[in-house]
Amino acid sequence: MSNSSIDDKDITRELWQSRLPICFILSDEDMSKVNRSESPEPLYLMLSRHSYFPCIIEKIFRYYSTYYKGNLNDQTNNINLNNLWLEYESIPLKWHYPIGLLYDLYTSSLSSSSSASHLPWQIIVHLSKFPENELIRFPDIESIEAHYMTTLKEADALKHKGQIIGDMQKRDHKQLWNSLLQDKYEAFWNINIKLMSYTDNLQYFRYIPFRIYILDKPFMQKLFSPYNIEQNKWLTLYDLLQYTLNHEVQCEKLANEKKFLNNNIENYRVIIHGVQPPLHSPIQWLSEYFSYPDNFLHICLIENQMR
Amino acid sequence: MSTIESDKTESKTVNFDETNLSPTRPSGDSENDGKIVFLLKAAGGAPILKKKKWALPRSKTIGHIVEFLKKYMQLDVEQQKQLFLYVNQTFAPAFDTTIGAVNDCFNSEGILVLHYTFTPAWG
C-alpha cells in the first residue's frame, strides 16, 4: 500500500525488538512458605512485548522452586507449576493475551501512581490458591501454540476468507510459531509477508482483524473494511474506532442495557504497542505494519482521568 | 457526557442457568431483545442435538456455551474433558470471547453457525 516500503519495514523490526522490563515478586503468602534462610530476590526479565507469559512460565517456576526444596510435591503447600499464576494490582493476568497488551491495558488504567513510567513492570507471582473461577490454568506450550494458530486463522478469515493460511503448508505454520518462540524476525516475516498480501483483485484486506480493549469490558470486534468504495478513500484508525464504539452502543440499546459505553473518542487515549498512533493513520497500513504476530491489531482505549 | 460505568457482564462462575439459553421464539416474532441467534452443528462424530437453534445475550462467552453443552449433553467424564467450538469450520475462539463479538464478524444473514466436536477437527 505504501510507497516507502523500506521505512515501513523498519517499523516492523522495531516492534519485533521492543521489550518490557518486568520485575517478578513472590507473593507474601508464598514467601512465608519458603524453606531456606534467605527469601527470594525479585526476578528481573526483559520480555518481548508480543510474546506470551506461558512461554516463560517454566523459567519463573524454576527460579522460585529452588526456595522450596523438599516441599515441591507437598500437598499442604500446593506449590507446583500448575498452580502458578501472575497478578497485577489484584488482577489475575490472562495467559492468552500478549504481554505488551496486558501492560498497556492495565498499567495505564490502574496504576496508583500518576507518573508516566511504570517500569519495570511489577508483577506478583503466586504459586498457590489458583483463582479457578477467573483464569484458565496456564497451559502447556502446545496449548499456547494452538491458541496462536487459531487466532491467526481467524485473522486470515477476516482478511482473505482464509484462503492464504488455508493454502499454506503445515511447516509454514510451524515456522511462524517457532520463530516467535525463538525470536527470529527474518524467519517470521518470510512467512508472515504472505499473510499481508491481497486477494480477490482487492488492493487491501477484505476486513481488518482488530480488537478493542477497555478496562473491565470484554473486547470488541467488528467487521470493518479499510476502504470506502463509494467515497473512494482510505479509512482511518479514527473511522474504525468511531464505527466500533457507535455499533457497540447500538447493541447495548437493543439489549435494553441501562448504561451505555462512552462513544466519544476524545474521552480516550488510544494505545497500540505502547504508543499512541495518529488517529488519521490509514487502517490498512496499521493492519499491515502494526499488527501483533497473530495478525490482529490489539487496540487499548484508556479512559482519560477526570482532572 | 461523563464516563459511564461498565455493566458487569459475564458472571465468573461456571454454574449455568438453563433459562439463560432458550430456543428462539416463533418465527413471526422479530423481537429478541438483541440476543444472538446461533445454530449448533455436530462435527467429528459428536452427537447431534435435537434443539439446534439457540439464542443468548451478546455478553455470554464461548466458554459459557461450552460448559452448558457439556452438562446438557450429559457427557461422561472422558468426553467432558474437551469440547471444541468452531466458527467458520476454521478456528476455535478463546473461551472468554463474547458470542456478540463472534456474531458481529461471522454471522451469515443474521445467524451464527457453530460446530462442536470432541476432537480438534480443524486444528
Side-chain angles (χ1 to χ4, degrees):
Chain A
M1 183 207 171
S2 154
N3 290 327
S4 58
S5 55
I6 294 174
D7 295 332
D8 290 342
K9 257 321 206 153
D10 285 344
I11 289 182
T12 61
R13 191 182 287 275
E14 287 255 10
L15 288 179
W16 185 271
Q17 291 168 344
S18 47
R19 298 278 185 273
L20 280 169
I22 305 187
C23 173
F24 294 95
I25 301 172
L26 191 60
S27 70
D28 291 337
E29 161 107 29
D30 297 308
M31 190 78 85
S32 65
K33 298 173 191 162
V34 165
N35 70 345
R36 265 165 64 168
S37 50
E38 77 271 28
S39 306
E41 295 285 310
L43 172 65
Y44 288 87
L45 293 175
M46 282 289 263
L47 297 180
S48 191
R49 269 181 156 274
H50 60 247
S51 181
Y52 301 88
F53 278 122
C55 296
I56 48 106
I57 277 289
E58 284 235 24
K59 187 184 258 193
I60 298 178
F61 184 73
R62 258 185 280 128
Y63 174 77
Y64 286 108
S65 62
T66 61
Y67 293 89
Y68 294 92
K69 280 213 164 30
N71 283 14
L72 274 183
N73 293 315
D74 182 343
Q75 296 293 356
T76 56
N77 261 338
N78 285 324
I79 305 281
N80 69 63
L81 184 58
N82 270 339
N83 287 330
L84 195 155
W85 56 286
L86 302 176
E87 173 221 321
Y88 175 71
E89 301 269 339
S90 308
I91 296 180
L93 297 179
K94 293 191 191 213
W95 64 265
H96 59 297
Y97 282 17
I99 293 175
L101 168 60
L102 291 166
Y103 176 81
D104 292 338
L105 183 61
Y106 292 126
T107 62
S108 314
S109 311
L110 287 181
S111 176
S112 36
S113 89
S114 55
S115 73
S117 173
H118 305 114
L119 299 173
W121 187 17
Q122 302 213 317
I123 290 181
I124 311 282
V125 178
H126 292 269
L127 299 174
S128 54
K129 296 209 168 128
F130 193 91
E132 299 284 357
N133 291 335
E134 294 178 70
L135 271 189
I136 306 169
R137 286 177 178 282
F138 278 81
D140 49 36
I141 279 281
E142 284 76 33
S143 305
I144 309 144
E145 181 180 358
H147 167 71
Y148 172 76
M149 283 312 307
T150 204
T151 310
L152 211 53
K153 285 178 186 171
E154 183 177 353
D156 199 57
L158 290 166
K159 289 198 275 188
H160 309 116
K161 296 187 210 170
Q163 285 161 17
I164 298 191
I165 200 138
D167 284 348
M168 264 186 198
Q169 305 272 17
K170 179 104 190 177
R171 62 162 181 266
D172 286 347
H173 295 176
K174 275 290 182 185
Q175 186 166 327
L176 285 170
W177 174 247
N178 287 333
S179 20
L180 182 58
L181 271 188
Q182 294 156 24
D183 194 28
K184 297 204 154 98
Y185 171 81
E186 299 287 350
F188 179 81
W189 271 95
N190 277 342
I191 311 294
N192 199 46
I193 195 78
K194 300 183 198 176
L195 295 168
M196 296 303 169
S197 61
Y198 312 133
T199 52
D200 282 349
N201 293 322
L202 294 176
Q203 292 301 305
Y204 42 85
F205 301 145
R206 188 160 174 258
Y207 298 112
I208 300 292
F210 72 93
R211 290 183 178 157
I212 296 187
Y213 303 82
I214 298 179
L215 195 66
D216 292 337
K217 289 183 175 343
F219 65 76
M220 294 177 273
Q221 185 177 329
K222 312 282 177 194
L223 283 181
F224 190 81
S225 166
Y227 190 78
N228 183 323
I229 298 178
E230 284 121 52
Q231 293 172 23
N232 212 20
K233 64 170 186 173
W234 295 100
L235 295 174
T236 65
L237 177 58
Y238 184 94
D239 296 325
L240 179 145
L241 293 173
Q242 195 63 83
Y243 172 78
T244 302
L245 292 174
N246 290 346
H247 187 281
E248 193 67 15
V249 169
Q250 295 287 356
C251 293
E252 287 172 333
K253 288 183 173 161
L254 270 180
N256 296 318
E257 299 278 356
K258 302 284 182 290
K259 294 171 183 171
F260 304 127
L261 186 62
N262 186 332
N263 62 344
N264 180 358
I265 296 183
E266 311 284 306
N267 186 59
Y268 302 100
R269 270 184 294 146
V270 182
I271 300 183
I272 315 178
H273 291 298
V275 300
Q276 292 181 240
L279 295 183
H280 58 261
S281 309
I283 197 72
Q284 174 65 32
W285 187 93
L286 283 172
S287 186
E288 288 182 39
Y289 294 97
F290 231 60
S291 291
Y292 279 69
D294 61 11
N295 279 214
F296 267 82
L297 279 169
H298 296 288
I299 304 169
C300 295
L301 291 187
I302 312 296
E303 294 196 74
N304 290 325
Q305 308 292 344
M306 301 290 269
R307 301 269 173 216
Chain B
M1 184 163 127
S2 58
T3 304
I4 309 291
E5 270 177 14
S6 71
D7 209 3
K8 273 289 187 220
T9 52
E10 174 68 3
S11 111
K12 301 287 199 299
T13 64
V14 167
N15 295 325
F16 82 103
D17 175 357
E18 188 150 11
T19 59
N20 280 338
L21 274 176
S22 55
T24 50
R25 301 213 183 105
S27 53
D29 183 355
S30 59
E31 170 57 53
N32 62 1
D33 292 335
K35 286 195 177 150
I36 304 301
V37 174
F38 59 98
L39 286 178
L40 285 173
K41 291 193 172 173
I48 300 176
L49 292 173
K50 276 207 190 109
K51 254 183 232 168
K52 294 183 174 54
K53 211 175 193 189
W54 300 84
L56 268 185
R58 18 181 323 110
S59 58
K60 291 299 177 193
T61 62
I62 294 288
H64 176 97
I65 299 176
V66 168
E67 289 308 311
F68 168 78
L69 274 182
K70 282 180 180 178
K71 294 196 166 98
Y72 183 79
M73 290 167 67
Q74 293 173 322
L75 301 179
D76 60 44
V77 175
E78 264 308 304
Q79 291 167 317
Q80 274 228 28
K81 286 204 179 116
Q82 305 234 58
L83 185 67
F84 299 87
L85 218 52
Y86 283 93
V87 177
N88 262 20
Q89 296 177 77
T90 316
F91 64 91
F95 282 5
D96 62 342
T97 311
T98 62
I99 192 74
V102 179
N103 178 73
D104 287 347
C105 296
F106 297 103
N107 79 80
S108 182
E109 285 158 24
I111 303 231
L112 177 65
V113 177
L114 301 174
H115 284 83
Y116 57 93
T117 72
F118 295 133
T119 59
W122 289 285

